[in-house]
Amino acid sequence: MKVKVKRFKEGRFEVSEFEVPVEGRPTLLEVLTKIKETQDPTLSFRVMCRASICGTCGVKLNGKPVLACNTRVEGEEILVEPLDFFEPIKDLVVSHDPIYESLKAKKVWLIPKEEKAGVSAQDLLKTSKSWDCILCGLCNSVCPPLLEKKPFGGPLLFTRLYKILEDPRNGSEEVLLKSSLESDPKACVHCSSCNIVCPKGCMPERWITLIETKLLQRGLIKKEEPQDFGFLGF
Ligand code: SF4
Ligand code: SF4
Ligand code: FES
């Protein structure tokens, strides 16, 4: 299999090509590891858990963001690139700092109402899927407003915000509503790209819609006025 790797080196991108003998359908991570072990020990990429849990190994495979550890490859040729949106550091490694900085800036963590506050299985079901987020950032890497550098929190942040906001143990609703407002859910264009690429089926766009509804119900944002089509004459 020919493996083309678009890598970031000394401030610019270049493409390296490797011929990798493969049997069956290895994971992309296995292919990258084989290149590193047998052909180019300088090739850099992220890996930790190898089990779709840590969220660190996101890259683009033939143009689509994937987790390298849970994506199988086949065919005669593949192209591997670093994720869009995130700042490249080296080869396929990008900086995940913006993820943690935004969660910290918007105070997205659970502050319990009371000591030993409990939660029922039914309550957890209400937010199920948002709990599965592994902070991989694949959703942010395809989000049009983020790619256009608009001041939008992005799908990852809203997925976390929803998870904590709807947790009955949480005692910081006002803080999180303010954070949601500041993250401008109305900037979402509802293209669903985040839902499509999420490797854990988290449906970020759904949580953005539900948070926007909550803000509307609280009177914190206003409903869009319908456009005036008076010129149509009816
Ligand atoms: S919502 Fe999905 S794609 Fe986005 S960071 Fe979480 S797991 Fe990754
Ligand atoms: S649905 Fe919204 S959050 Fe998701 S990728 Fe599109 S614009 Fe971004
Ligand atoms: S190595 Fe942890 S998610 Fe892929």
Side-chain angles (χ1 to χ4, degrees):
M1 173 184 282
K2 183 188 279 186
V3 181
K4 289 186 175 176
V5 181
K6 183 176 166 186
R7 54 206 295 195
F8 188 71
K9 259 186 164 178
E10 293 162 12
R12 62 189 183 85
F13 287 102
E14 63 180 46
V15 177
S16 298
E17 289 188 15
F18 304 93
E19 263 318 314
V20 186
V22 295
E23 275 175 33
R25 293 176 66 229
T27 64
L28 177 56
L29 183 58
E30 285 166 339
V31 170
L32 293 173
T33 306
K34 193 173 256 186
I35 293 172
K36 190 171 179 72
E37 287 175 349
T38 61
Q39 300 187 41
D40 183 351
T42 72
L43 180 66
S44 298
F45 51 90
R46 285 184 183 277
V47 53
M48 281 202 316
C49 71
R50 297 165 192 262
S52 343
I53 295 168
C54 72
T56 204
C57 65
V59 288
K60 277 198 299 179
L61 171 64
N62 298 331
K64 185 185 167 213
V66 296
L67 292 180
C69 69
N70 81 346
T71 305
R72 299 203 171 266
V73 291
E74 58 189 348
E76 289 181 2
E77 183 176 313
I78 59 171
L79 171 66
V80 192
E81 301 166 89
L83 287 181
D84 293 330
F85 174 65
F86 297 100
E87 194 186 329
I89 297 176
K90 181 171 182 294
D91 295 344
L92 295 169
V93 178
V94 296
S95 170
H96 282 178
D97 289 353
I99 295 178
Y100 306 110
E101 280 160 9
S102 69
L103 293 173
K104 196 172 161 196
K106 300 293 182 235
K107 301 186 171 61
V108 192
W109 55 80
L110 192 138
I111 300 174
K113 275 184 193 148
E114 58 199 53
E115 217 182 316
K116 296 187 184 163
V119 62
S120 70
Q122 218 153 14
D123 285 332
L124 280 179
L125 272 180
K126 244 171 90 181
T127 53
S128 86
K129 291 328 277 178
S130 66
W131 281 94
D132 291 340
C133 175
I134 55 172
L135 303 181
C136 65
L138 300 196
C139 52
N140 279 11
S141 79
V142 294
C143 176
L146 289 183
L147 292 169
E148 289 162 20
K149 299 196 187 313
K150 293 198 171 146
F152 172 48
L156 183 157
L157 181 76
F158 277 104
T159 299
R160 280 281 152 146
L161 274 167
Y162 184 81
K163 169 184 155 178
I164 311 285
L165 253 174
E166 291 302 317
D167 192 311
R169 295 166 293 183
N170 183 47
S172 64
E173 190 185 52
E174 293 308 315
V175 174
L176 295 184
L177 285 176
K178 185 168 174 276
S179 295
S180 302
L181 199 58
E182 288 169 359
S183 306
D184 195 8
K186 284 174 129 184
C188 171
V189 296
H190 300 282
C191 61
S192 290
S193 300
C194 50
N195 296 352
I196 293 165
V197 300
C198 177
K200 307 301 275 187
C202 292
M203 303 184 296
E205 187 260 349
R206 177 171 161 74
W207 314 130
I208 294 171
T209 305
L210 291 175
I211 287 179
E212 197 178 340
T213 305
K214 196 183 257 286
L215 293 171
L216 271 167
Q217 286 165 346
R218 302 287 174 94
L220 295 169
I221 53 174
K222 287 204 175 83
K223 215 174 172 159
E224 293 283 338
E225 292 295 326
Q227 288 183 35
D228 182 5
F229 293 115
F231 64 88
L232 292 174
F234 56 84

